Amino acid sequence: MLKAPQHQVAGHEAAGVGNLGPLVDGSGSFYKPLQDDKRGSNEVAFYTLLSTNNGIPPHIRRFFPRFYGTQHIEASDGSGLLPHLVLEDLTLGRVNPSIMDIKIGSRTWAPESSEKYIEKCLKKDRESSSLPLGFRISGLQIYRSKELGFWKPGKKAAQKLSTEQVKLVLRRFVSSNTLNDLDLKPDCAFASTVYGGSTGILSQLLELKAWFEDQTIYHLYSCSILVTFEKELALQGKNPGAQIKLIDFAHVYEGLGVIDHNFLGGLCSLITFISEILTAPSECKIDVSAKVDQKNLTDSDGIVVHDQKKLTDFDNGVVADQKNITNSVNDVVPYQKNLTDSVNGVVADQKNLTDSVNGVS
């Protein structure tokens, strides 16, 4: 029986009456409804080409969800049969996974996007850490305990985390002392087993980085890295199953022989933050702000999301300290190019990936 995914942290959700979103069958398949504009056909085209592209090394291919084609199924909103991508269910077999959806790139819109869509994306980018850091957290859940369940902030609240709040969340994600709402001293107890090691998150990110330093096949816009692990296994001293997967390919364009500096820059920035947690664990024990300054992490309407913990509003406003995209390129994310240069220069004449797939789009 198809049902809404239990551990979805970002994107459109099927939960609730009349909502169109992805479904899972409990047997390993994830059904993602195709968007009715060219974004849907773009994603089908990408997965179709990816599955037959011999230029993707096997050790890199494992970072993409398995693709099982498309299928018409009853939509979650009750609108009847609709086409869906059939993908690998990335949370199958996981009991209480901690998950982060991290959108990569300081620019989340493709060069051929309409002016209206660019304005929409720029607004989100400016209100988040995308511009200063080259990535933002689109959604997350952190498992606390059997009694307390998950800490899962609202998606809009997560996307508007400031630079310092993002740093804090990356530490809290691998900490054991996440039970007390007022505790802002993450101990990073699981950093070495989740982020570190030969099979940890950092090692996987570095492997992906090495490929993006050379690959000129694709340019990925608004694509995310999904980070997952099992805290309960880490507590038992077992392998926590730390894993990254690339997801969301509605805005993929041909690379035309040019490196994807936008994605690579954001990836390098994320690697830097993860590396700092591993190389400076003492910082995890520093009280980053007085408790009297803490504010509830709320959704965009100012309503406290159920079961959220308190985070400090480090910037006295979500985006008060964010730099413009030029500073992000020159100071924070050295691999990224200036927004204007990207539009007018190397990627301005990219073609949509679907142009190369006759009949798919």
Side-chain angles (χ1 to χ4, degrees), residues 12-87:
H12 300 288
E13 296 184 8
V17 179
N19 293 332
L20 180 62
L23 299 167
V24 294
D25 61 7
S27 299
S29 294
F30 178 92
Y31 298 83
K32 180 179 180 179
L34 293 180
Q35 299 178 77
D36 56 8
D37 53 21
K38 69 177 183 178
R39 289 175 293 179
S41 57
N42 283 356
E43 195 154 22
V44 172
F46 171 77
Y47 275 112
T48 301
L49 286 176
L50 181 71
S51 62
T52 59
N53 192 335
N54 295 326
I56 310 297
H59 70 283
I60 296 299
R61 192 178 295 277
R62 69 188 177 97
F63 294 127
F64 295 89
R66 293 187 182 92
F67 173 56
Y68 304 120
T70 61
Q71 185 176 336
H72 281 73
I73 63 171
E74 287 289 337
S76 62
D77 62 355
S79 59
L81 291 174
L82 290 180
H84 287 65
L85 279 169
V86 187
L87 304 170

Side-chain angles (χ1 to χ4, degrees), residues 155-314:
K155 289 181 290 186
K156 290 184 179 179
Q159 292 170 11
K160 292 186 178 182
L161 291 173
S162 67
T163 297
E164 293 302 321
Q165 288 172 333
V166 167
K167 293 179 182 179
L168 175 61
V169 167
L170 290 175
R171 286 173 164 79
R172 293 183 70 84
F173 190 67
V174 290
S175 293
S176 65
N177 58 340
T178 55
L179 303 183
N180 187 344
D181 284 359
L182 296 179
D183 189 355
L184 281 182
K185 295 181 181 179
D187 58 18
C188 301
F190 310 124
S192 61
T193 55
V194 175
Y195 289 156
S198 60
T199 60
I201 298 301
L202 179 60
S203 178
Q204 295 175 54
L205 291 173
L206 288 172
E207 198 171 351
L208 197 60
K209 170 180 172 287
W211 184 62
F212 270 93
E213 287 176 333
D214 292 325
Q215 81 87 16
T216 58
I217 306 171
Y218 306 118
H219 281 199
L220 311 181
Y221 297 96
S222 201
C223 174
S224 289
I225 293 178
L226 196 71
V227 182
T228 313
F229 84 98
E230 291 268 11
K231 181 178 179 180
E232 289 175 304
L233 293 178
L235 284 169
Q236 298 168 15
K238 299 179 181 179
N239 186 332
Q243 172 184 272
I244 66 169
K245 290 283 186 178
L246 292 169
I247 59 172
D248 297 335
F249 304 104
H251 303 279
V252 177
Y253 285 70
E254 288 186 84
L256 300 178
V258 177
I259 289 174
D260 187 353
H261 292 280
N262 180 61
F263 189 94
L264 178 59
L267 179 59
C268 289
S269 178
L270 177 60
I271 287 172
T272 297
F273 279 83
I274 299 297
S275 298
E276 288 176 352
I277 294 173
L278 289 169
T279 57
S282 60
E283 292 186 10
C284 292
K285 300 183 183 299
I286 296 175
D287 191 354
V288 293
S289 182
K291 292 181 180 179
V292 294
D293 292 329
Q294 294 177 24
K295 295 182 179 180
N296 281 323
L297 180 60
T298 61
D299 63 15
S300 61
D301 297 322
I303 302 172
V304 178
V305 180
H306 177 66
D307 204 27
Q308 288 184 1
K309 295 184 177 182
K310 295 182 179 180
L311 288 178
T312 305
D313 189 355
F314 292 90

